[in-house]
């Protein structure tokens, strides 16, 4: 049901679709859609890292390494440029390297999301950078069609709405997808045409009544979900990931639906400031703590799993305090470090099984 | 049901350990066997040896719990449990006031918090690399051309020490090579190595916190020099079992007994 990412994008490119390679994570998709550009996000393209290592330090996160490897060996799909949102210093540096030193045959754009605690000034700033980006795109792709932009926002709104419904359904056991299927669905947003994606989301059935609850309920937090082998190991153990706080997932969906857009820039600004707290926005840690606690309690999660990308500074910065505050709430916490490689190590299996044993007398017996 | 016996089989990366207990919880046989390249085979051999040692027939064993990284390969086990739970339970049986267990084996080190029944409350485990494990010490012993017993001598940790700045096995090994080339006294290097492992363990300990008495398990607990430095660093006495390598298997045997329902 969910198309293969590279096949889908190849097909799109063959049909003459304008495709922009976008690095994680927060950027105004709707602006690109309004110019008929399909954003194809680059998070964790598979494959060995060969060429990228020449340009990067060893202590750079694997997302940055894998993205650069992808850029250096790009199979001719990306034709409308690359976009580097300011997610973290590593990605920002990568953006400047690709633009100024490495050089690519397409334009390189940056998008400087506001950071820190938000106020009136950051709101104004965000409106400004949206307008600037709109202008930058207009310089290459012709003047913006405001009706098209409004339609793009409306489509985005529908997608957000359905995503929120699905998240709710997941938390209340009304989706029959296992974790692997659920995250495939979520991550299809990274490359699909919005119309196709909305159709896909609408195909997923939400049950009226809760299905049999998972033996063990986990909340997951981090940048990306664990790899497929780890997810199916969790599924096999009866662990259901009932809620997620992932940058590749719910941190990109507003916490509530908005009204239909009258002014698209206003709408996109409102939307940005309704996104859940995230380490890459460098907001208040307290806010993140409260948010995670609430998510755990709303989803009746019995434990929290942090899936930490190795060397990811923003996440590691918050990690220790978050673990401490969740443990203080009596929630068992498991932290796994990932280098985004396929497979599942014996140590990771042991850690996962151990937390399950820790949580239940019956499991130990 | 006094005839019933229970087995714990711990297939670790270096040693495969078997403990047989009776229904009163007394140890009836205890074996430490090298794991080698085939965990399943080592488990079978160690188990046979334990049965022989105790003069016990196979059908007297009512339940077998397998643990350790090779737990899934133990075909004759009736169940499996992680070594993290097993070390907690085993340490609690030997030292009932244990609140914290430090298990340092060949490839993994773990810090486990347990409650008054030996049940795990929290744990922390090292990452993939060999830093802070027995394997690290073995590599260094080879480099220093000595055996583990010599390396473990507590006299080496009382004097001066060099600073080993890297906890990574590969980097630390090259540091040792260059220190040897500079004719740095061996005991100073050993002292530095023991301290570097202890620092690594210490950071795991503080990440989950200390409670109750601390019991150290796993083969590295036989390393007296390291235990001395760790006690110094923690400012606490450590309980050291007579046979630290079999604590996981002992815990597994107790879990086997607990789970066994008399028909
Ligand atoms: N006599 C000794 N003196 C000092 N250290 C020793 C001695 N015997 C064993 N060790 C240490 O114990 C380590 C092996 O410990 P153990 O048998 O508990 O490991 P394991 O359970 O097989 O490994 P893991 O739990 O990591 O899979 C060796 O690497 C060595 O450093
Ligand atoms: S994983 Fe972390 S460090 Fe890497 S690109 Fe993402 S936010 Fe930046
Ligand atoms: Mg062991």
């Amino acid at each position: 049901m969910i198309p293969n990412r590279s096949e889908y994008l190849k097909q799109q490119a063959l049909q003459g679709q304008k495709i922009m390679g976008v690095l994680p994570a927060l950027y105004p998709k709707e602006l690109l859609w309004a110019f008929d550009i399909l954003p194809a996000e680059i998070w964790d393209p598979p494959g060995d890292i060969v060429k990228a290592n020449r340009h990067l330090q060893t202590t750079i996160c694997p997302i940055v390494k894998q993205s650069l490897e992808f850029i250096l060996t790009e199979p001719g799909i990306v034709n409308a440029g690359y976009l580097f949102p300011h997610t973290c210093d590593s990605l920002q540096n990568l953006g400047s390297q690709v633009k100024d030193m490495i050089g690519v045959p397409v334009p390189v754009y940056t998008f400087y999301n506001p950071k820190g605690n938000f106020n009136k000034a950051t709101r104004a700033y965000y409106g400004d950078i949206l307008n600037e980006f709109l202008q930058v795109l207009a310089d290459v792709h012709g003047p913006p069609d405001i009706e098209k932009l409004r339609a793009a926002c409306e489509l985005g709104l529908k997608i957000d709405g359905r995503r929120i419904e699905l998240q709710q359904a997941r938390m209340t056991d009304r989706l029959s997808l296992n974790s692997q299927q659920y995250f495939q669905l979520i991550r299809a947003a990274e490359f699909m045409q919005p119309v196709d994606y909305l159709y896909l989301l609408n195909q997923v059935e939400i049950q009226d009544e809760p299905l049999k609850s998972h033996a063990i309920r986990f909340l997951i937090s981090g940048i990306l979900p664990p790899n497929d082998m780890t997810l199916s190991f969790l599924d096999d153990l009866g662990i259901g990931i009932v809620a997620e706080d992932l940058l590749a997932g719910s941190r990109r969906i507003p916490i509530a639906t908005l009204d239909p857009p009258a002014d698209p820039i206003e709408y996109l600004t409102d939307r940005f400031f309704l996104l859940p707290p995230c380490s890459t926005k460098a907001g208040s840690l307290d806010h993140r703590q409260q948010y995670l606690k609430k998510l755990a309690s709303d989803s009746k999660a019995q434990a929290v799993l942090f899936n930490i990308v190795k060397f990811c500074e923003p996440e590691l910065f918050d990690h220790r305090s978050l673990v401490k505050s969740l443990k203080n709430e009596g929630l068992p916490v498991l932290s796994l470090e990932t280098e985004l490689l396929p497979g599942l190590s014996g140590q990771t299996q042991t850690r996962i099984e151990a937390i399950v044993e820790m949580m239940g007398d019956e499991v130990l017996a | 049901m006094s005839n019933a016996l229970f087995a714990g089989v711990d297939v670790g990366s270096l040693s495969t350990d078997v403990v047989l207990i009776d229904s009163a919880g007394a140890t009836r046989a205890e074996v430490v066997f090298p794991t080698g390249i085939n965990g399943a085979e080592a488990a079978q051999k160690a188990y046979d040896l334990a049965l022989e040692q105790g003069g016990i027939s196979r059908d007297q064993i009512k339940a077998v719990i397998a643990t350790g990284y090779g737990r899934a390969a133990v075909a004759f086990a009736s169940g499996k449990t992680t070594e993290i739970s097993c070390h907690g339970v085993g340490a609690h049986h030997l030292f009932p006031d244990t609140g914290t267990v430090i298990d340092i084996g060949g490839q993994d080190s773990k810090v486990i918090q347990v409650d008054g029944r030996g049940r795990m409350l929290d744990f922390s485990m090292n990452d993939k690399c060999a830093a802070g494990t027995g394997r690290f010490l073995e590599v260094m012993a080879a480099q220093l051309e000595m055996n583990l017993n010599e390396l473990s001598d507590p006299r080496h940790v009382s004097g001066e020490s060099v600073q080993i700045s890297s906890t990574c096995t590969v980097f630390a090994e090259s540091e040792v090579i260059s220190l040897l080339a500079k004719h740095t006294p061996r005991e100073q290097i050993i002292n530095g190595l023991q301290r570097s492992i202890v620092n690594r363990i210490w950071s795991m300990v503080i990440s989950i916190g200390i409670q109750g008495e601390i019991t150290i398990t796993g083969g590295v607990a036989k390393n007296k020099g390291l235990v001395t430095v760790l006690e110094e660093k923690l400012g606490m006495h450590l309980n050291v079992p007579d046979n630290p390598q079999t604590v996981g298997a002992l815990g597994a045997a107790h879990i086997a007994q607990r789970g066994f329902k008399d028909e």
Side-chain angles (χ1 to χ4, degrees), chain B residues 6 9 143 158 223-224 253:
Chain B
F6 304 93
V9 180
Q143 203 47 254
S158 58
N223 182 327
K224 293 204 173 67

Side-chain angles (χ1 to χ4, degrees), chain A residues 327 347 351 353 357-358 364, chain B residues 82 85 108 122 125-126:
Chain A
K327 279 185 180 174
Q347 269 160 334
R351 283 196 172 110
E353 286 180 15
E357 289 166 3
M358 192 171 111
L364 227 175
Chain B
T82 65
S85 292
D108 293 330
D122 202 357
M125 181 173 170
N126 71 313

